[in-house]
Amino acid sequence: IERIPKEYIRPEEERPSIGDIFAEEKMGGGPQVPTVDLKGINSEDLEVREKCREELRKAAVDWGVMHLVNHGIPEELTARVKAAGEGFFGQPIEEKEKYANDQAAGNVQGYGSKLANNASGQLEWEDYFFHCVFPEDKTDLSIWPKTPSDYIDATREYAKQLRALTTTVLAVLSQGLGLEEGRLEKEVGGMEELLLQMKINYYPKCPQPELALGVEAHTDVSALTFILHNMVPGLQLFYEGKWVTAKCVPNSIIMHVGDTVEILSNGKYKSILHRGVVNREKVRVSWAVFCEPPKEKIILQPLPETVSEADPPRFPPRTFAQHIKHKLFRQTDQEAADTPKPDE
């Protein structure tokens, strides 16, 4: 097609900020998303370890997003995860449709092309595959792609290693708030309850990229989000009043602080506004893993240690489910409580 359907065209006031992503990624100068080298994060050398941890905490305070390098997940494994995801999306549409989700029935796991009610009502220029990847007892392998044959093994192993990295990062962020290492992890559900949900985003080439977005501006509701991508630029962060394009850093994993950690830290760590931009030359694929607390079991609110007379609570107490509804539908907590859930 030469023109995109009108449902994908962004509102006029948004369009001037959508530029050529390849040109923007090459630009030097201006603020850049920080790169944090995790090599020394558990070093025996106290000075090395503290320097590394301080860099991570600083990036979480200043930006709320960073490229992690030397993160400990083998390149061979991330390459397998990418090959499996790209293999799934490379299949004919009728093969992918076998895994289609059923949003009307409240089932969001599977293949689809619109995950949420976006605030704008416009469609986003992407397909996706969404499913829970950890803990294993909460995953439903029956809806995981059978083709490519390595999809299940590679994704499971990646999820397991990412879960260990989550523990490490949360420990460092806990220390940064003056808390014991395990505190934030406990507050988001611990090993049994913290869910890792993977969303593979597939952004086709777009004939009019200056009119569309792959994913509109949002903050992540998660505790943390980890993102792999196929080295095609597309991620933009809203930093100090401007859209900043993230450079492609080889062998890195992008990590976002999500709303959940922002709330628990009473805003000391940032959940940054970001969006996905598309282009006419290359398909972009990203693998986002959202680390989410249980929907109803935990009340999200600033931890007592992060609150003082000078810094009162910035967020009202809500369950994770209420927080999602508040964001997606701009509902009040009472309206959210009165809305039937998909499985009711």
Side-chain angles (χ1 to χ4, degrees):
I1 61 169
E2 287 169 28
R3 307 180 83 77
I4 66 174
K6 66 178 188 311
E7 297 87 343
Y8 291 91
I9 296 176
R10 304 304 302 175
E12 208 152 322
E13 63 276 9
E14 211 174 353
R15 283 182 244 155
S17 74
I18 304 174
D20 175 347
I21 194 69
F22 295 112
E24 290 181 12
E25 198 236 356
K26 286 188 183 73
M27 270 166 47
Q32 301 290 338
V33 175
T35 295
V36 176
D37 187 340
L38 296 186
K39 197 172 176 188
I41 200 149
N42 291 316
S43 169
E44 305 274 302
D45 182 326
L46 182 64
E47 202 174 316
V48 171
R49 185 170 75 229
E50 206 30 60
K51 182 173 180 289
C52 174
R53 293 179 170 219
E54 186 46 45
E55 275 181 27
L56 193 155
R57 289 192 286 262
K58 186 175 184 320
V61 167
D62 294 349
W63 280 80
V65 64
M66 62 204 79
H67 302 282
L68 301 179
V69 295
N70 290 316
H71 42 69
I73 298 179
E75 195 184 331
E76 177 259 340
L77 178 57
T78 57
R80 283 172 60 202
V81 169
K82 292 180 186 183
E86 288 176 339
F88 172 78
F89 280 101
Q91 297 179 103
I93 187 76
E94 54 274 13
E95 284 303 309
K96 293 183 283 195
E97 286 287 354
K98 290 176 183 171
Y99 297 92
N101 59 19
D102 184 356
Q103 299 246 6
N107 179 16
V108 295
Q109 293 203 72
Y111 171 69
S113 63
K114 186 169 184 281
L115 189 59
N117 296 343
N118 350 18
S120 69
Q122 301 305 107
L123 291 176
E124 297 169 325
W125 195 262
E126 68 152 356
D127 280 357
Y128 66 85
F129 196 96
F130 182 77
H131 60 108
C132 178
V133 292
F134 195 91
E136 288 192 353
D137 64 351
K138 291 188 168 71
T139 60
D140 178 2
L141 289 182
S142 72
I143 61 148
W144 291 36
K146 309 292 180 286
T147 311
S149 57
D150 192 35
Y151 185 96
I152 291 177
D153 286 349
T155 304
R156 278 174 101 164
E157 182 54 34
Y158 177 61
K160 210 179 293 178
Q161 296 206 22
L162 208 50
R163 185 62 185 83
L165 181 58
T166 303
T167 293
T168 302
V169 169
L170 288 173
V172 174
L173 295 180
S174 280
Q175 284 181 316
L177 296 171
L179 306 168
E180 62 276 15
E181 282 198 1
R183 180 69 181 282
L184 276 179
E185 175 149 356
K186 179 171 153 278
E187 296 288 349
V188 296
M191 198 52 87
E192 288 74 38
E193 298 285 353
L194 185 69
L195 286 185
L196 270 56
Q197 313 255 30
M198 180 185 272
K199 182 178 177 228
I200 309 175
N201 301 293
Y202 180 91
Y203 306 102
K205 295 176 197 175
C206 179
Q208 295 176 294
E210 67 286 350
L211 297 180
L213 285 176
V215 171
E216 68 182 22
H218 65 286
T219 61
D220 288 353
V221 292
S222 58
L224 301 172
T225 303
F226 294 95
I227 303 171
L228 288 175
H229 58 79
N230 65 339
M231 293 298 286
V232 174
L235 174 66
Q236 294 187 324
L237 300 307
F238 197 67
Y239 183 75
E240 294 185 341
K242 288 192 179 68
W243 285 108
V244 175
T245 298
K247 297 205 177 298
C248 292
V249 177
N251 304 326
S252 69
I253 295 177
I254 295 169
M255 187 190 84
H256 285 272
V257 169
D259 296 351
T260 295
V261 163
E262 182 179 63
I263 291 166
L264 292 170
S265 72
N266 201 26
K268 290 173 179 62
Y269 297 130
K270 303 273 181 303
S271 179
I272 194 169
L273 191 68
H274 57 283
R275 68 183 186 183
V277 182
V278 291
N279 72 83
R280 48 166 69 80
E281 292 157 52
K282 293 181 178 175
V283 169
R284 180 168 184 260
V285 190
S286 69
W287 289 256
V289 174
F290 305 100
C291 306
E292 299 185 348
K295 283 211 158 54
E296 306 286 357
K297 283 188 180 175
I298 291 169
I299 299 292
L300 293 180
Q301 60 189 327
L303 297 174
E305 296 90 337
T306 65
V307 174
S308 66
E309 212 168 307
D311 192 7
R314 301 182 195 183
F315 305 93
R318 289 190 177 112
T319 63
F320 186 59
Q322 284 171 333
H323 177 65
I324 292 172
K325 284 185 172 154
H326 168 74
K327 281 193 67 162
L328 282 186
F329 310 113
R330 311 290 185 266
Q331 285 185 331
T332 65
D333 295 339
Q334 191 48 53
E335 284 168 341
D338 295 342
T339 305
K341 295 176 191 67
D343 52 358
E344 283 181 353

